Amino acid sequence: MRRLTRTVAAAALATALAFAAGCSGDSDSSDDAAGGNGGALEKVTYLTSFGQFGRDSYAWVAKDKGFFKDAGFDVEIKAGQGTGGVIQTVVGGQADFGPIDLTGGLLQLGNGQAKDFIAVAAIQQRTMAGIATLDGKGIASPKDLEGKKLADTPGSVVRNLFPTYARMAGVDASKVTWVNGEAQTLIGTLATGQVDGIGQFVVGQPTIESVAKGKKAVMLPYSNVMQDLYGNVLITSAKNAKEKPEMVKKFTAALMKGLEYSLANPQEAAEILKKNVDATNTTAAAAELQLMAGYVRSSNSGTVLGTLDSGRVAKSIAILQGAGALKQNITPDQIIDFSLAPKA
């Protein structure tokens, strides 16, 4: 009888151990849905700044290299349509994060066109906004834009900032015609001669020349006449910033890792973009990142990516106010949460 009891107990113990091992195996198989601390990944939607070009590839790099996953995020990346569109989508809750041009954000906030968004990191320390044209169009200086037809998305910073740029560059803005375009088709519109120029970040030059087939791109950077303006900044909703500050910090840090890796490895970043966006020209995408590197750091940003300086933002506001571009007074703290931004 004692022998029978021991046999039954041993069998029961073996069954329990087998069951526990099975549960452990099930847990291991769910690694793809778990973050670095073993918890479930938080789903996040991220918008690019403008289309799906090399300049925005760092988000795909952060996803591909596992930086987002290690921080606890499952990120869906969607193409943005410029500053106005990104703000509207983030504030509306259809996306959690996205880059906008800070000057464009100041214009939107200061003119009552948008609210309830907060910048939490700088992507570029200098604005990359500008006008792009092709050699042979007769545009070599800002004054040459008079009498010409330009295209851009309605909410882009290039278009919204143009009146201020024109005023400071001595251009009669009333003599320039703007037509609507889409982020992914703007360059084709220029290459086929439908317009004389397009709104474009200056790092888009390699991509323009790859589409224009041998024609040389001519760039008119806004930074030539407007100093101290930041480029893109990462934004989230005011609600996220207030209710989920640690989540915002973790996401920002992961994205900055993707940015830093992309600038150090532009060709690999371009290949990662190609895996996700089939239409990518990897040569042009890598060249965009190489050009962008000079805009991501400035003399006062130190070695840490993403830093924002209240004094510089105040200067940007003063430039816009001096040009009569803002209907109401605003302060740096109204658009940036410096407690969430990376520290120099």
Side-chain angles (χ1 to χ4, degrees):
M1 179 64 69
R2 283 196 299 272
R3 192 160 44 245
L4 178 60
T5 301
R6 286 196 297 270
T7 301
V8 171
L13 178 60
T15 301
L17 290 172
F19 179 75
C23 290
S24 175
D26 289 344
S27 176
D28 291 342
S29 67
S30 64
D31 279 350
D32 286 344
N37 61 1
L41 295 177
E42 181 173 1
K43 292 188 179 297
V44 166
T45 300
Y46 173 88
L47 296 178
T48 67
S49 64
F50 193 76
Q52 298 168 314
F53 300 105
R55 71 203 74 159
D56 273 301
S57 61
Y58 54 88
W60 279 280
V61 169
K63 184 172 182 175
D64 185 85
K65 305 303 281 187
F67 302 150
F68 285 145
K69 183 180 177 183
D70 290 346
F73 301 108
D74 176 13
V75 178
E76 180 182 11
I77 303 170
K78 296 182 177 181
Q81 287 289 328
T83 292
V86 171
I87 292 174
Q88 184 178 11
T89 307
V90 169
V91 171
Q94 290 84 42
D96 301 287
F97 296 93
I100 66 165
D101 187 278
L102 179 58
T103 308
L106 291 170
L107 288 170
Q108 294 254 323
L109 181 65
N111 291 318
Q113 296 168 312
K115 60 179 182 177
D116 297 330
F117 65 95
I118 291 292
V120 295
I123 307 298
Q124 294 108 23
Q125 295 288 326
R126 291 189 296 132
T127 182
M128 301 196 304
I131 304 293
T133 183
L134 294 172
D135 198 23
K137 293 285 188 181
I139 302 174
S141 69
K143 190 69 174 174
D144 297 329
L145 294 171
E146 294 179 1
K148 300 298 194 294
K149 182 166 70 171
L150 309 178
D152 204 348
T153 58
S156 85
V157 65
V158 174
R159 191 164 175 177
N160 289 334
L161 190 54
F162 183 75
T164 305
Y165 168 75
R167 191 177 298 112
M168 297 180 71
V171 177
D172 186 346
S174 68
K175 295 181 179 179
V176 180
T177 301
W178 284 92
V179 297
N180 293 339
E182 295 292 326
Q184 293 297 119
T185 59
L186 272 180
I187 294 176
T189 302
L190 175 63
T192 54
Q194 298 174 56
V195 294
D196 301 302
I198 58 175
Q200 190 74 192
F201 282 174
V202 293
V203 297
Q205 182 174 349
T207 301
I208 292 170
E209 291 178 345
S210 72
V211 174
K213 306 292 184 188
K215 294 181 182 177
K216 188 178 185 331
V218 177
M219 312 300 291
L220 300 179
Y222 281 8
S223 60
N224 284 354
V225 297
M226 293 184 288
Q227 304 297 320
D228 282 322
L229 300 184
Y230 277 94
N232 277 353
V233 293
L234 178 68
I235 68 162
T236 189
S237 65
K239 185 175 186 292
N240 271 345
K242 180 180 180 181
E243 297 179 0
K244 300 180 178 181
E246 291 308 312
M247 181 273 275
V248 172
K249 287 182 182 179
K250 287 180 181 179
F251 181 88
T252 300
L255 186 68
M256 291 300 106
K257 286 180 70 175
L259 177 60
E260 189 159 34
Y261 190 95
S262 299
L263 297 179
N265 305 277
Q267 190 59 48
E268 183 183 353
E271 296 293 344
I272 290 172
L273 179 61
K274 175 71 174 176
K275 286 196 307 184
N276 293 278
V277 181
D278 189 59
T280 298
N281 178 319
T282 55
T283 301
E288 282 200 10
L289 285 169
Q290 289 171 327
L291 286 173
M292 193 173 85
Y295 290 82
V296 171
R297 287 187 171 92
S298 71
S299 57
N300 65 346
S301 69
T303 58
V304 179
L305 298 188
T307 62
L308 285 158
D309 179 78
S310 180
R312 279 192 61 202
V313 179
K315 287 183 181 180
S316 297
I317 294 172
I319 288 172
L320 298 177
Q321 288 174 330
L326 298 178
K327 294 179 181 177
Q328 58 194 42
N329 292 328
I330 56 176
T331 64
D333 289 332
Q334 286 178 262
I335 196 168
I336 296 169
D337 189 332
F338 291 98
S339 70
L340 298 180
K343 303 296 185 290

